[in-house]
Amino acid sequence: MVPATRVFAARMAGLSVFGPDGESIGRVRDVVAGLSVRRQPPRVLGLVLELPTRRRIFVPMLRVTRIESSAVTLATGSVNLRHFHQRPNELLVLGQLLDARVVIDSTHAPAVLVDVAMEQIRTRDWQLAKLAVRERTGRLGRRGPTQVLDWDQVTGLAVAELTGKPQGVQQLLAMFDTMRAVDVASTLHELPTKRRYEVAEALDDERLADVVEELPEEDQKDLLEHLDEERAADVLEAMNPDDAADLLAELSEVDKERLLGLMAPEESAPVKRLMAYSSDTAGGLMTPEPIVVGPDATIAEALAMARNPDLPVALASLVFVCRPPSATPTGRYLGCVHIQRLLREPPSTLVAGALDIDLASLPAGASLTDVTRYFAAYNLVCGPVLDDEEHLIGAVTVDDVLDHLLPENWRESGLPGPEPGPADRPTNREAH
């Protein structure tokens, strides 16, 4: 396949990136351009890649040898592993340019930027030469015609104009539709504050809650404080109770109590229970919403609950059997059934006949060290937490433990990778 010399940037989002020998490196998350003061097509400086470790790095365009419809190929498999940081007078094409409001010079018609075309010129450099814009008709439910124009045929793309004016998010949200919450969170973290707020305001409560759970702590607090109080309470209600409790614990007592008061009582109750425990104990780590059934439930009924696509994989690995009530804190805890056992038993049999009654449980006050040893000793990804009266009050999953064992900034920097060798040390613009 002949490598492309004109590529629309939005189509690059999520493309796989390979080295010259076919080794997988990561995925394209954005395009970095240096916006000039004059109305000349900006030069494309490079790509923002997301490695499998979620670290985002910068790769100069000089290292890109092929851009195809399904993949990007680099000249070398060795890349600079320093975390990407946007510099002044640089723009993220996908994160900042898409949905910008512009004016078509020839007709003075207002328009919205829906895509940007990169073109390779004679010097082998790439520049943002063409703009796909859609006229804003002002008629509800109607879209104006889309046309492709040269960069200098529109106004409104200066740095000051982009950073000062409100901007739509439709094109950006369309890209997010196919991305996991953790990938959307990584993208939001890299965006300028203004753009991050615009995206957050446009996401629905459920999607925003999923994304907030994956953001670094400071970004979580910043977004929550930006939202109006009613919306912030709605987002907290949509979050997993343990994540909501962790976030609220970082706020002032006044803000915490105000937001808890705005939440629906049935949503705030489990959050309040979790906040009664220290964050580094089993009680503080647990989720209060595990799978709980009565002893007269069938294997088929238990499996149906474990199949819930919204349930984290680790939480679906154990079904807990308790006397009524089945909501935490439950009646007396009887035991648990492992997912492998559920898959082996006839669907019509009762879970009471497949109970594991020998698996040790965790007390709510167990320390993080004790919880870690518990998971290592029993080779589990989920474990029950009981109170002093043998009632199930929640379950700890291995991802909750890892969140507290990893460095505080692990969401920002990804997992550590090898140090770059001498050939990969940055020079000039490669200092990213």
Side-chain angles (χ1 to χ4, degrees), residues 210-248:
D210 291 341
V211 172
V212 167
E213 290 174 358
E214 303 295 342
L215 283 170
E217 182 181 290
E218 288 304 315
D219 286 355
Q220 289 181 330
K221 291 166 57 180
D222 180 65
L223 273 184
L224 202 67
E225 290 167 357
H226 168 74
L227 300 174
D228 67 70
E229 291 182 346
E230 293 285 351
R231 177 84 198 282
D234 291 341
V235 172
L236 286 167
E237 288 178 356
M239 292 175 66
N240 291 322
D242 51 331
D243 291 310
D246 289 342
L247 177 50
L248 283 168

Side-chain angles (χ1 to χ4, degrees), residues 329-340:
T330 67
R332 187 167 67 86
Y333 175 72
L334 301 176
C336 62
V337 186
H338 301 268
I339 187 70
Q340 297 97 328

Side-chain angles (χ1 to χ4, degrees), residues 56-256:
R56 295 201 171 196
I57 64 170
F58 175 82
V59 173
M61 284 304 292
L62 291 175
R63 295 200 177 191
V64 177
T65 57
R66 298 172 70 91
I67 300 178
E68 299 169 347
S69 60
S70 59
V72 174
T73 303
L74 303 183
T76 173
S78 298
V79 293
N80 187 332
L81 296 176
R82 289 192 181 183
H83 189 73
F84 168 75
H85 290 289
Q86 187 179 358
R87 292 179 172 181
N89 297 324
E90 289 180 352
L91 282 176
L92 299 175
V93 175
L94 303 183
Q96 290 178 269
L97 281 184
L98 295 193
D99 299 301
R101 297 179 182 181
V102 297
V103 175
I104 301 173
D105 290 346
S106 60
T107 62
H108 302 290
V112 174
L113 184 64
V114 296
D115 210 341
V116 183
M118 302 163 38
E119 289 188 353
Q120 193 170 30
I121 56 179
R122 292 179 181 177
T123 62
R124 300 185 63 81
D125 285 333
W126 289 79
Q127 63 181 19
L128 302 181
K130 302 290 184 180
L131 304 171
V133 300
R134 180 183 296 122
E135 290 188 25
R136 297 164 57 203
T137 64
R139 297 176 183 176
L140 192 62
R142 295 287 300 277
R143 289 187 173 186
T146 299
Q147 50 188 309
V148 178
L149 304 173
D150 292 336
W151 182 274
D152 60 4
Q153 290 180 307
V154 304
T155 55
L157 294 177
V159 174
E161 293 171 308
L162 286 171
T163 56
K165 294 187 304 186
Q167 190 172 340
V169 294
Q170 288 77 14
Q171 304 302 320
L172 202 52
L173 292 184
M175 289 195 308
F176 288 168
D177 279 345
T178 59
M179 296 169 62
R180 297 176 302 169
V182 64
D183 296 325
V184 176
S186 294
T187 300
L188 279 191
H189 175 67
E190 300 295 344
L191 291 179
T193 302
K194 166 184 169 291
R195 196 70 173 125
R196 189 184 306 153
Y197 291 163
E198 290 169 340
V199 173
E201 289 167 358
L203 291 171
D204 63 55
D205 293 344
E206 294 287 342
R207 182 64 160 161
L208 181 55
D210 291 341
V211 172
V212 167
E213 290 174 358
E214 303 295 342
L215 283 170
E217 182 181 290
E218 288 304 315
D219 286 355
Q220 289 181 330
K221 291 166 57 180
D222 180 65
L223 273 184
L224 202 67
E225 290 167 357
H226 168 74
L227 300 174
D228 67 70
E229 291 182 346
E230 293 285 351
R231 177 84 198 282
D234 291 341
V235 172
L236 286 167
E237 288 178 356
M239 292 175 66
N240 291 322
D242 51 331
D243 291 310
D246 289 342
L247 177 50
L248 283 168
E250 299 301 322
L251 304 180
S252 68
E253 287 298 323
V254 173
D255 291 339
K256 183 194 311 177

Side-chain angles (χ1 to χ4, degrees), residues 341-392:
R341 181 70 184 272
L342 289 173
L343 294 171
R344 291 195 299 263
E345 296 292 330
S348 59
T349 59
L350 300 181
V351 294
L355 279 182
D356 180 349
I357 59 175
D358 297 323
L359 179 66
S361 60
L362 289 162
S367 68
L368 178 59
T369 300
D370 291 337
V371 175
T372 305
R373 289 172 177 165
Y374 172 87
F375 277 95
Y378 292 100
N379 296 315
L380 295 172
V381 293
C382 180
V385 182
L386 306 186
D387 63 15
D388 294 338
E389 286 75 40
E390 296 294 307
H391 301 144
L392 181 73

